[in-house]
Amino acid sequence: DAKTTQPNSMESNEEEPVHLPCNHSTISGTDYIHWYRQLPSQGPEYVIHGLTSNVNNRMASLAIAEDRKSSTLILHRATLRDAAVYYCILSSGNQFYFGTGTSLTVIP
Amino acid sequence: DAGVIQSPRHEVTEMGQEVTLRCKPISGHDYLFWYRQTMMRGLELLIYFNNNVPIDDSGMPEDRFSAKMPNASFSTLKIQPSEPRDSAVYFCASSHWTGSYEQYFGPGTRLTVT
Protein backbone atom coordinates (compact mmCIF):
# COMPACT_ATOMS: atom_id res chain seq x y z
CA ASP A 1 0.00 0.00 0.00
CA ALA A 2 1.29 3.37 -1.00
CA LYS A 3 2.25 5.68 1.85
CA THR A 4 1.14 9.22 2.54
CA THR A 5 2.64 11.76 4.92
CA GLN A 6 0.54 14.42 6.59
CA PRO A 7 1.17 16.82 9.47
CA ASN A 8 -0.29 15.54 12.71
CA SER A 9 -2.22 18.70 13.41
CA MET A 10 -3.09 22.12 12.04
CA GLU A 11 -5.04 25.13 13.23
CA SER A 12 -7.09 27.62 11.33
CA ASN A 13 -9.15 30.65 12.17
CA GLU A 14 -12.82 30.48 11.40
CA GLU A 15 -13.83 31.79 7.96
CA GLU A 16 -10.25 31.68 6.70
CA PRO A 17 -8.96 29.28 4.02
CA VAL A 18 -7.18 26.13 5.09
CA HIS A 19 -4.56 24.28 3.08
CA LEU A 20 -3.98 20.70 4.22
CA PRO A 21 -0.86 19.17 2.65
CA CYS A 22 -0.14 15.55 1.80
CA ASN A 23 3.05 14.02 0.47
CA HIS A 24 2.90 10.82 -1.53
CA SER A 25 6.23 10.45 -3.29
CA THR A 26 5.71 6.72 -4.02
CA ILE A 27 2.42 7.22 -5.86
CA SER A 28 1.94 4.96 -8.85
CA GLY A 29 0.38 5.90 -12.16
CA THR A 30 -2.92 4.23 -11.35
CA ASP A 31 -3.33 5.61 -7.83
CA TYR A 32 -6.15 8.01 -7.17
CA ILE A 33 -5.76 10.57 -4.37
CA HIS A 34 -8.70 10.46 -1.98
CA TRP A 35 -9.50 12.69 0.96
CA TYR A 36 -11.82 11.67 3.75
CA ARG A 37 -12.54 13.34 7.04
CA GLN A 38 -13.74 12.04 10.36
CA LEU A 39 -15.72 14.25 12.67
CA PRO A 40 -15.67 13.42 16.38
CA SER A 41 -17.56 10.24 17.21
CA GLN A 42 -18.52 9.60 13.59
CA GLY A 43 -17.36 7.41 10.76
CA PRO A 44 -15.16 8.84 8.02
CA GLU A 45 -16.88 10.70 5.22
CA TYR A 46 -15.81 11.34 1.65
CA VAL A 47 -14.49 14.79 0.84
CA ILE A 48 -12.97 14.69 -2.63
CA HIS A 49 -10.76 12.65 -4.94
CA GLY A 50 -8.64 13.19 -8.04
CA LEU A 51 -6.11 11.59 -10.37
CA THR A 52 -4.08 14.26 -12.16
CA SER A 53 -6.11 17.43 -12.53
CA ASN A 54 -7.25 19.78 -9.82
CA VAL A 55 -10.78 19.10 -8.63
CA ASN A 56 -13.50 21.20 -7.05
CA ASN A 57 -16.71 20.21 -5.33
CA ARG A 58 -19.12 21.79 -2.88
CA MET A 59 -16.99 20.79 0.09
CA ALA A 60 -13.43 21.54 -0.99
CA SER A 61 -10.83 21.79 -3.71
CA LEU A 62 -7.98 19.41 -4.42
CA ALA A 63 -4.77 20.73 -5.87
CA ILE A 64 -2.46 18.04 -7.27
CA ALA A 65 1.20 18.74 -8.01
CA GLU A 66 2.31 18.27 -11.58
CA ASP A 67 4.53 15.30 -10.62
CA ARG A 68 1.69 13.95 -8.43
CA LYS A 69 4.03 13.47 -5.51
CA SER A 70 2.04 15.82 -3.33
CA SER A 71 -1.43 17.27 -3.06
CA THR A 72 -3.28 19.89 -1.04
CA LEU A 73 -6.83 19.85 0.21
CA ILE A 74 -8.25 23.36 0.31
CA LEU A 75 -11.17 24.36 2.47
CA HIS A 76 -12.08 27.80 1.21
CA ARG A 77 -13.70 29.11 4.40
CA ALA A 78 -13.21 27.03 7.51
CA THR A 79 -16.16 26.71 9.84
CA LEU A 80 -16.33 25.19 13.29
CA ARG A 81 -18.02 22.17 11.72
CA ASP A 82 -14.88 21.51 9.68
CA ALA A 83 -12.95 20.53 12.82
CA ALA A 84 -12.05 16.91 12.13
CA VAL A 85 -9.26 14.50 11.26
CA TYR A 86 -8.51 14.67 7.53
CA TYR A 87 -7.08 11.59 5.82
CA CYS A 88 -5.19 11.58 2.56
CA ILE A 89 -5.36 8.15 0.91
CA LEU A 90 -3.87 6.62 -2.21
CA SER A 91 -5.69 3.81 -3.92
CA SER A 92 -5.82 2.27 -7.36
CA GLY A 93 -8.89 0.25 -6.48
CA ASN A 94 -11.38 0.08 -3.71
CA GLN A 95 -9.03 -0.75 -0.84
CA PHE A 96 -8.23 2.25 1.28
CA TYR A 97 -5.41 2.39 3.79
CA PHE A 98 -5.93 5.21 6.23
CA GLY A 99 -2.86 6.79 7.81
CA THR A 100 -2.91 8.93 10.93
CA GLY A 101 -4.36 11.98 9.22
CA THR A 102 -4.24 15.65 10.15
CA SER A 103 -6.29 16.85 13.07
CA LEU A 104 -7.72 20.24 12.13
CA THR A 105 -8.68 22.67 14.87
CA VAL A 106 -10.80 25.64 13.89
CA ILE A 107 -10.49 28.65 16.16
CA PRO A 108 -13.57 30.88 16.53
CA ASP B 1 -31.68 6.14 1.92
CA ALA B 2 -30.88 5.56 5.60
CA GLY B 3 -27.19 5.11 4.96
CA VAL B 4 -25.11 2.28 6.35
CA ILE B 5 -26.71 0.87 9.48
CA GLN B 6 -24.73 -0.80 12.23
CA SER B 7 -25.88 -2.51 15.37
CA PRO B 8 -25.41 -2.42 18.23
CA ARG B 9 -23.95 1.06 18.65
CA HIS B 10 -22.31 0.07 21.91
CA GLU B 11 -21.38 -3.37 23.20
CA VAL B 12 -19.82 -4.22 26.54
CA THR B 13 -18.89 -7.82 27.13
CA GLU B 14 -16.64 -9.94 29.26
CA MET B 15 -13.50 -11.60 28.05
CA GLY B 16 -14.20 -14.97 26.50
CA GLN B 17 -17.70 -14.13 25.32
CA GLU B 18 -18.80 -14.22 21.71
CA VAL B 19 -19.53 -10.86 20.10
CA THR B 20 -21.49 -10.33 16.88
CA LEU B 21 -21.53 -6.99 15.11
CA ARG B 22 -24.06 -6.34 12.37
CA CYS B 23 -24.12 -4.19 9.29
CA LYS B 24 -26.69 -3.30 6.66
CA PRO B 25 -25.07 -1.64 3.62
CA ILE B 26 -26.67 0.94 1.38
CA SER B 27 -29.05 -0.70 -1.06
CA GLY B 28 -27.42 -1.24 -4.43
CA HIS B 29 -23.87 -1.13 -3.15
CA ASP B 30 -21.87 -4.20 -4.11
CA TYR B 31 -18.82 -3.69 -1.90
CA LEU B 32 -18.83 -3.99 1.87
CA PHE B 33 -15.90 -3.25 4.18
CA TRP B 34 -15.19 -3.87 7.85
CA TYR B 35 -12.71 -1.56 9.62
CA ARG B 36 -11.41 -1.35 13.15
CA GLN B 37 -10.25 1.88 14.78
CA THR B 38 -8.09 2.20 17.88
CA MET B 39 -5.97 5.02 19.23
CA MET B 40 -2.81 2.96 18.84
CA ARG B 41 -3.32 1.60 15.32
CA GLY B 42 -5.72 4.06 13.75
CA LEU B 43 -8.22 2.87 11.15
CA GLU B 44 -7.46 -0.61 9.81
CA LEU B 45 -9.20 -2.50 7.02
CA LEU B 46 -10.12 -5.97 8.27
CA ILE B 47 -11.96 -7.55 5.35
CA TYR B 48 -14.01 -6.61 2.34
CA PHE B 49 -16.66 -8.31 0.22
CA ASN B 50 -17.72 -7.91 -3.39
CA ASN B 51 -21.16 -9.23 -4.30
CA ASN B 52 -21.29 -11.06 -0.96
CA VAL B 53 -17.99 -12.88 -1.58
CA PRO B 54 -14.98 -12.19 0.67
CA ILE B 55 -12.21 -10.77 -1.49
CA ASP B 56 -9.45 -9.88 0.94
CA ASP B 57 -9.36 -10.89 4.59
CA SER B 58 -5.66 -10.26 5.11
CA GLY B 59 -6.45 -7.60 7.71
CA MET B 60 -8.32 -9.98 9.98
CA PRO B 61 -6.09 -10.13 13.05
CA GLU B 62 -6.51 -13.80 13.91
CA ASP B 63 -8.79 -16.81 13.72
CA ARG B 64 -10.96 -15.48 16.51
CA PHE B 65 -12.36 -13.04 13.96
CA SER B 66 -14.76 -14.12 11.24
CA ALA B 67 -17.03 -12.24 8.86
CA LYS B 68 -19.93 -13.33 6.73
CA MET B 69 -22.21 -11.77 4.18
CA PRO B 70 -25.14 -14.14 3.59
CA ASN B 71 -26.93 -11.69 1.30
CA ALA B 72 -26.56 -8.26 -0.26
CA SER B 73 -28.23 -6.49 2.64
CA PHE B 74 -26.54 -7.98 5.68
CA SER B 75 -23.11 -8.73 7.06
CA THR B 76 -21.76 -9.83 10.42
CA LEU B 77 -18.39 -9.61 12.10
CA LYS B 78 -17.96 -12.14 14.87
CA ILE B 79 -15.29 -12.36 17.55
CA GLN B 80 -15.09 -15.62 19.46
CA PRO B 81 -13.70 -15.62 22.09
CA SER B 82 -13.34 -11.91 22.71
CA GLU B 83 -10.33 -10.41 24.46
CA PRO B 84 -9.73 -6.99 26.06
CA ARG B 85 -7.38 -6.02 23.21
CA ASP B 86 -10.33 -6.31 20.82
CA SER B 87 -11.82 -3.18 22.38
CA ALA B 88 -12.19 -0.67 19.57
CA VAL B 89 -14.70 1.04 17.32
CA TYR B 90 -15.71 -1.17 14.42
CA PHE B 91 -16.94 0.51 11.26
CA CYS B 92 -18.77 -0.95 8.33
CA ALA B 93 -18.68 0.82 4.96
CA SER B 94 -20.20 0.16 1.57
CA SER B 95 -19.50 1.40 -1.92
CA HIS B 96 -20.45 1.11 -5.56
CA TRP B 97 -18.48 2.17 -8.60
CA THR B 98 -19.69 5.56 -9.81
CA GLY B 99 -16.47 6.79 -11.35
CA SER B 100 -14.76 6.33 -8.02
CA TYR B 101 -15.02 4.01 -5.07
CA GLU B 102 -16.50 6.48 -2.65
CA GLN B 103 -17.09 4.62 0.58
CA TYR B 104 -19.99 5.38 2.86
CA PHE B 105 -19.36 4.61 6.50
CA GLY B 106 -21.75 3.61 9.22
CA PRO B 107 -21.76 5.21 12.67
CA GLY B 108 -19.65 2.42 14.13
CA THR B 109 -19.98 -0.02 17.02
CA ARG B 110 -17.96 0.79 20.12
CA LEU B 111 -16.88 -2.53 21.61
CA THR B 112 -15.53 -2.79 25.14
CA VAL B 113 -14.24 -6.13 26.36
CA THR B 114 -13.59 -6.29 30.09
Side-chain angles (χ1 to χ4, degrees):
Chain A
D1 49 314
K3 300 292 186 185
T4 62
T5 304
Q6 300 177 253
N8 287 332
S9 61
M10 291 185 64
E11 286 186 350
S12 174
N13 292 319
E14 192 177 11
E15 297 189 2
E16 289 187 358
V18 183
H19 290 233
L20 299 166
C22 181
N23 288 319
H24 31 78
S25 58
T26 60
I27 190 170
S28 72
T30 58
D31 282 334
Y32 281 79
I33 302 161
H34 303 259
W35 283 83
Y36 279 67
R37 72 179 186 180
Q38 187 172 21
L39 279 65
S41 301
Q42 294 187 26
E45 65 174 345
Y46 170 83
V47 176
I48 200 167
H49 80 282
L51 184 61
T52 56
S53 303
N54 295 343
V55 184
N56 299 298
N57 66 20
R58 63 175 180 82
M59 289 183 69
S61 295
L62 176 59
I64 301 173
E66 194 169 338
D67 64 3
R68 300 209 325 127
K69 293 185 176 182
S70 65
S71 61
T72 302
L73 178 70
I74 302 166
L75 307 180
H76 296 287
R77 287 185 65 205
T79 70
L80 297 179
R81 289 173 295 179
D82 291 322
V85 177
Y86 287 78
Y87 296 98
C88 170
I89 302 158
L90 300 185
S91 179
S92 59
N94 54 15
Q95 284 185 269
F96 293 169
Y97 294 93
F98 290 76
T100 54
T102 297
S103 179
L104 175 66
T105 300
V106 180
I107 303 169
Chain B
D1 198 317
V4 175
I5 298 172
Q6 292 187 246
S7 64
R9 293 293 310 275
H10 301 273
E11 177 81 35
V12 179
T13 190
E14 292 184 347
M15 182 174 62
Q17 296 298 307
E18 177 180 297
V19 176
T20 299
L21 311 180
R22 298 173 175 80
C23 175
K24 176 178 169 54
I26 292 173
S27 177
H29 282 193
D30 50 359
Y31 287 90
L32 183 138
F33 306 82
W34 282 101
Y35 291 86
R36 177 174 68 176
Q37 187 170 38
T38 61
M39 288 294 292
M40 292 294 295
R41 300 176 67 88
L43 199 58
E44 305 172 278
L45 176 65
L46 300 178
I47 184 172
Y48 80 94
F49 296 82
N50 178 217
N51 292 323
N52 314 336
V53 177
I55 303 301
D56 187 349
D57 64 354
S58 59
M60 296 285 263
E62 46 195 280
D63 291 345
R64 297 183 298 105
F65 286 70
S66 63
K68 294 182 179 180
M69 192 165 186
N71 57 62
S73 59
F74 183 66
S75 177
T76 59
L77 178 68
K78 185 176 294 186
I79 308 172
Q80 167 63 21
S82 59
E83 297 182 3
R85 60 189 168 129
D86 302 329
S87 298
V89 180
Y90 291 81
F91 290 103
C92 175
S94 68
S95 74
H96 177 68
W97 175 255
T98 57
S100 75
Y101 284 112
E102 179 180 341
Q103 293 187 15
Y104 293 81
F105 283 76
T109 295
R110 180 173 295 278
L111 173 64
T112 303
V113 183
T114 61

